Amino acid sequence: SEPATRTLAEARDRLIADVLVRQEQKKLGWGQVDTATLSAYAGEAFARMASCDSPCTGGIRPEETRAWVERKLLIRDFFNRRVGMFVEVSDEEVERELRRRAGQSGSAEPAEDQVREELLEAKGAQEVRNWYDRTASKARIVLSPLEEK
């Protein structure tokens, strides 16, 4: 993912979401990343960190970066297997979106494959949010009362 600045509350919420996914993965017996894939993504992360000018990157050990990359790959795999397989976009939805876009602008229409991919991504993101909402509603999450101080 692209670098992003987050508040502490946003970072906490992301960490909680990651923990919920990891718990579900363990319950299902899933949770391995292909070594070659992990090495490739970790190498990219190491390169990005090396080019980062922020002094905070100096305090992050390579094994921490590799563990973070592995966790993110596991989470991506979980959603591909658990949520992504149920996300579908019909030909009618693609046609409807193409007509809608053609009516909005006079510029060249996007390719059908591009529209299908965008619709799949949007539906997938919504299903992931729905999964988080359902899972968090069943989870017991205790936050520190000192958080806002």
Side-chain angles (χ1 to χ4, degrees):
S1 58
E2 290 299 314
T5 302
R6 302 198 189 287
T7 65
L8 289 176
E10 290 170 333
R12 179 208 60 221
D13 292 343
R14 290 288 301 261
L15 182 59
I16 290 170
D18 287 1
V19 168
L20 291 172
V21 170
R22 297 291 291 137
Q23 286 175 345
E24 186 71 13
Q25 278 180 313
K26 287 177 185 173
K27 194 166 64 174
L28 295 170
W30 297 350
Q32 292 187 347
V33 176
D34 176 73
T35 306
T37 302
L38 177 58
S39 294
Y41 278 98
E44 183 181 326
F46 295 145
R48 288 174 87 181
M49 289 189 62
S51 67
C52 181
D53 295 334
S54 176
C56 67
T57 59
I60 302 171
R61 298 185 324 268
E63 57 271 13
E64 291 173 321
T65 301
R66 188 175 178 84
W68 181 84
V69 169
E70 183 175 22
R71 188 175 81 236
K72 291 301 180 182
L73 288 171
L74 286 169
I75 290 167
R76 183 183 72 179
D77 179 61
F78 172 81
F79 282 119
N80 286 341
R81 291 170 70 180
R82 188 71 169 181
V83 176
M85 64 187 299
F86 299 110
V87 176
E88 294 181 6
V89 173
S90 68
D91 292 338
E92 293 80 24
E93 290 173 302
V94 173
E95 288 299 320
R96 190 171 36 247
E97 181 65 15
L98 284 169
R99 284 193 304 272
R100 186 188 69 77
R101 290 183 185 188
Q104 283 185 342
S105 67
S107 62
E109 291 183 25
E112 184 176 323
D113 290 341
Q114 178 185 353
V115 169
R116 183 178 303 279
E117 187 64 33
E118 290 171 7
L119 290 173
L120 278 170
E121 187 175 312
K123 278 187 165 187
Q126 182 59 49
E127 286 302 315
V128 166
R129 284 189 297 275
N130 292 345
W131 183 90
Y132 277 128
D133 290 343
R134 285 189 309 274
T135 304
S137 72
K138 296 183 269 182
R140 181 171 179 256
I141 301 169
V142 180
L143 302 176
S144 170
L146 303 175
E147 172 189 339
E148 300 301 323
K149 292 184 179 184

